[in-house]
Amino acid sequence: MIRTAGLVSALALMLATGGCATMTASGSDMPPLPASATAPVQYVRDIHSYARPEIAHVRHVSLDLKTDFAAKTLSGTATLDVQGVPGATEIILDARNLDIRGIADASGAPLQFTLGASDPILGQPLTVRFPALADGATQKLVITYATRPDAAALQWLTPAQTAGGRQPYLFSQGQAILTRTWVPTQDSPGIRQTWDARIVAPSDLKVVMSAETLTTSGEAVDGGKAWRFRMTNPVPPYLIAIGVGDVDFAAIDHRTGVWTEPSRLHAAHDELVPTARMVDVAEELYGPYRWGRYDILVLPPSFPFGGMENPRLTFATPTIIAGDQSLVSLVAHELAHSWSGNLVTNATWADFWLNEGFTVYFENRIMEALYGEERALMLQSLGWGDLQSTLADLPPADTRLKIDLAGRDPDDGLTDIAYEKGAAFLRTIERIVGRERFDAWLKGYFERNAFRPMTTELFLEDIRANLVKGDQALERQLMMDAWIYQPGMPSNWVPPVSNAFVPVDAAARAFAAGGPASAIPWAGWSTQERQRFLAWRQPVATSDGRWLTNAQLADLESTLNLKAEGNAEVVFAWLQIAVKHRYQPAVPTLEHFLTTQGRRKFVLPLFTSLWAEGDWGRPIATRVYAQARPGYHPVTTGSVDEVVGRPN
Ligand code: BES
Ligand code: ZN
C-alpha cells in the first residue's frame, strides 16, 4: 500500500456531538438527518488546510455580508460556532487574501488572533484564542472582515459581461480550496458545517445561494435588499456558494427549476427539462434525495467549469444550452454529486476520485435509465478516449487513483484519472459481481456514510466488509489495490464497446484516406457521434502528428458548416484539430470561441495546443489571451497564465 506522507500522521478520534439547534430547524423541506450524520468522525490530516479539527472545529457559520460592486468586495461578519476538546484555548482557521478587521466573542469582547505566514496555495492560518472550552460548550467567534477585489473564489462581472448588459453580476466557486478567499473558516472537506447567511445586495439584483431561501423577495434595507438563507445539512465548506445578479426562475416540476438571466430563461428551461426525471431516476437507483429542491443556476459564459454541484443549486456553464438537450449528461453528473460528494465526501483532495469517479459512474447510470444503453455506452466510450490521452500524457505516479498532492495544488488532481479511471474501476467491480449486487452495495455505501468524510482506505474497508465479505477468489479478481495504488489500467479492465461508433470510425478512416467530406453522414449523427468523429485520434501515423491537408480541412469546415456550429463540445473538438494542423482559416472561429466563454476545460487545452505550435501558435495565443483574459474567472486565468504568461 502506498501512502501519502503526512496524511496518516495525525489520526484522532473525535466525538462530533451533532447537537446544533439549526440542524433540526422546522419548516425545512429536507428529510431528518440519518444517524450517520451525527456519529463520531475520525478526522484525517488534510494537507490543504491549517485546521486542527481534533482540537477545535467549526460547527456552524453565520454570514452577514454586504455586496459592494463598485469596490468588488463582500464585507461584514462571519460568526462561527466552535466546539472542541475540553480545555482547548484556540482554533486554527483557513484564510487567504482576506482583510480581517477584528474578532470578538458573543458579548462583543475582543479576542486575540494572529494571521500566520502566507503560502501561495494554502493562504494563511488564522489562529483565534479564547478562554478554555468547557465540556460540550460552544464558543462563538464574530469575525469582522472584507474580501479583496481579487479574491480567487469570486468573479465580479461588469454589466457588459452579462447577457442583459445592464446589471453587474457576482458568483463564487469554492472547490477545491477557494472558499477561504471569501469565508474565514476551516476550509477542509472533512470538516462539515451547517450555515446560514444574510446578504445585502443592490435592489435590482437577486441573491441565490446553495441553501434554502428564506426570503422569496428581498427585504428592503438601507442600501438595497437583504436575502436570507440557511443550510441545515452539515456540508463541507467548498459547497458554500453565492450568485448575485439579474436572474429569474422557471420551474421544471415541483422540486426542480432553473435560474438564469431573463433573456436566457426560456432557452435554459427548455434545455433542462430532463432534470426532473433525472432526480426521480437517481432516487430509484441509490436512495432518497436529501437536499429538498434541485435547481440549476445557468451562469454567464465566464463560469470556469462545466458544472459545480453546489447543494440545492447546481452552477452550470451556459455552453450546455445547445438547443437540443444533447449535453444534459452534465446535469446528470452534478445531480449524482448530491450522493457521491455531497453526502459521502472525499476526506482530503488526495481522495478526490471518490467524489468524481463515483459520480461519473452514477451519471452514466442516470443517462442509461433515461436514454438507453446505446447512449450510455457512447458516453462511456468518449470517456475512455479521453482517459487514454490522459494516461499517455501524465507521469505514471499521477495515474494512480490515490495520488500524492504533497506541496501541490489540489487542482493537480483534477484529471481524467479521478473521473474516468475512477468510473472504470467501479464498472469493473459491477461487471465482476453483477449489477444487482453492486447496486445493493452502492446504495448501502451512500446510506452508511451519508454526511461523512470518506478516505480511500475507509472505502476499501466498506467494500470488503459489505461486498467482498472474505471471498478470497473475488478479492483477487477485483484487483482493488492495483486500481487504487498502481499506475495505469489493471489487467481486469474491459474497455467499453459502442457499436454506434463503428460506422463513425469507418467514416473518419475513409475521410483521412482522401474521401470527400460529403460522404460523412454528419446530418444523421448525434452530438456524441460528432464528438467521436472529431476526437478520433490521428488515423494515420505521421512524423508531425498532422494527417489532413489544408484542402481536406477546408472541405470538412465548409461541408459540416463548422463556422456556424453552435454546440460548444463540437466546436471545441474541431478547433483542436484545426490548431494541430495550423489551419489558418479557423483562427476567427477560435478567437470567437476563446473570447466568448471561459470554461477552463475548453480554454486551457486550446491555449496549450496553440503554444505547442511555436512560431505559428504563440503569437495567436498571446494576442487572443490579451483580449480574452479580462473576461475570465481567476480559476481560468490562474491556469492559462502558466501556459501563455500574464499579458502586460
Ligand atoms: N466538482 C466538479 C468541478 C470541480 C472539481 C471544480 C474540482 C473544482 C475542483 C464538477 O462536478 C465537475 O466535475 N464538472 C465537470 C463536468 C462534468 C460533466 C465532468 C466540468 O466542469 O467539466
Ligand atoms: Zn464532478
Side-chain angles (χ1 to χ4, degrees), residues 268-570:
H269 169 273
D270 288 359
E271 192 82 20
L272 299 173
V273 161
T275 304
R277 273 191 61 213
M278 285 183 180
V279 184
D280 298 340
V281 157
E283 286 193 302
E284 280 161 30
L285 281 167
Y286 300 122
Y289 177 73
R290 293 198 166 273
W291 305 90
R293 297 197 54 84
Y294 182 77
D295 296 324
I296 300 171
L297 173 67
V298 179
L299 287 132
S302 64
F303 185 61
F305 292 104
M308 178 64 215
E309 65 271 26
N310 298 130
R312 294 175 69 99
L313 187 65
T314 279
F315 281 25
T317 168
T319 64
I320 60 163
I321 311 303
D324 57 4
Q325 303 185 344
S326 60
L327 301 177
V328 292
S329 62
L330 186 137
V331 175
H333 179 97
E334 304 313 334
L335 169 66
H337 273 306
S338 307
W339 288 258
S340 42
N342 299 1
L343 275 189
V344 185
T345 309
N346 52 208
T348 75
W349 299 111
D351 304 300
F352 182 57
W353 78 274
L354 292 172
N355 273 21
E356 298 299 342
F358 275 67
T359 295
V360 171
Y361 174 83
F362 190 168
E363 162 197 350
N364 199 253
R365 293 294 303 276
I366 296 171
M367 291 304 287
E368 183 188 315
L370 254 75
Y371 299 98
E373 207 175 340
E374 194 52 67
R375 169 91 172 258
L377 270 173
M378 284 196 266
L379 292 165
Q380 283 185 32
S381 190
L382 288 173
W384 171 229
D386 293 342
L387 177 54
Q388 282 173 288
S389 320
T390 302
L391 286 165
D393 292 350
L394 282 181
D398 286 344
T399 68
R400 299 173 170 130
L401 284 178
K402 177 143 185 178
I403 65 166
D404 185 354
L405 289 173
R408 303 166 77 183
D409 192 304
D411 261 18
D412 288 6
L414 222 177
T415 73
D416 275 319
I417 299 303
Y419 286 78
E420 295 294 340
K421 184 181 171 183
F425 176 30
L426 298 182
R427 283 182 199 127
T428 302
I429 303 172
E430 185 209 311
R431 178 177 53 76
I432 292 171
V433 304
R435 181 169 277 192
E436 205 178 320
R437 262 179 88 189
F438 182 75
D439 279 355
W441 168 75
L442 186 49
K443 190 174 183 181
Y445 170 83
F446 289 137
E447 262 161 35
R448 283 186 292 279
N449 302 296
F451 300 104
R452 301 181 66 76
M454 180 58 59
T455 62
T456 300
E457 289 67 33
L458 281 172
F459 152 77
L460 280 171
E461 254 177 56
D462 187 285
I463 197 165
R464 288 195 166 115
N466 298 293
L467 182 69
V468 182
K469 295 182 177 161
D471 180 339
Q472 289 307 311
L474 177 58
E475 175 72 42
R476 279 191 301 276
Q477 233 186 324
L478 293 176
M479 304 178 72
M480 296 196 292
D481 288 315
W483 274 95
I484 290 169
Y485 300 113
Q486 299 299 320
M489 300 299 276
S491 58
N492 63 356
W493 165 234
V494 180
V497 177
S498 160
N499 292 327
F501 283 168
V502 174
V504 177
D505 293 352
R509 270 192 305 273
F511 180 73
S518 57
I520 303 164
W522 187 257
W525 278 347
S526 65
T527 294
Q528 286 68 41
E529 288 162 310
R530 293 173 179 188
Q531 280 181 270
R532 171 70 171 209
F533 179 85
L534 294 173
W536 207 56
R537 266 139 212 93
Q538 194 186 337
V540 218
T542 55
S543 57
D544 59 2
R546 301 184 189 112
W547 67 93
L548 298 171
T549 63
N550 261 15
Q552 283 174 302
L553 291 162
D555 185 19
L556 205 61
E557 187 178 45
S558 66
T559 310
L560 307 186
N561 202 11
L562 293 168
K563 277 188 182 155
E565 178 58 51
N567 187 299
E569 293 282 355
V570 174

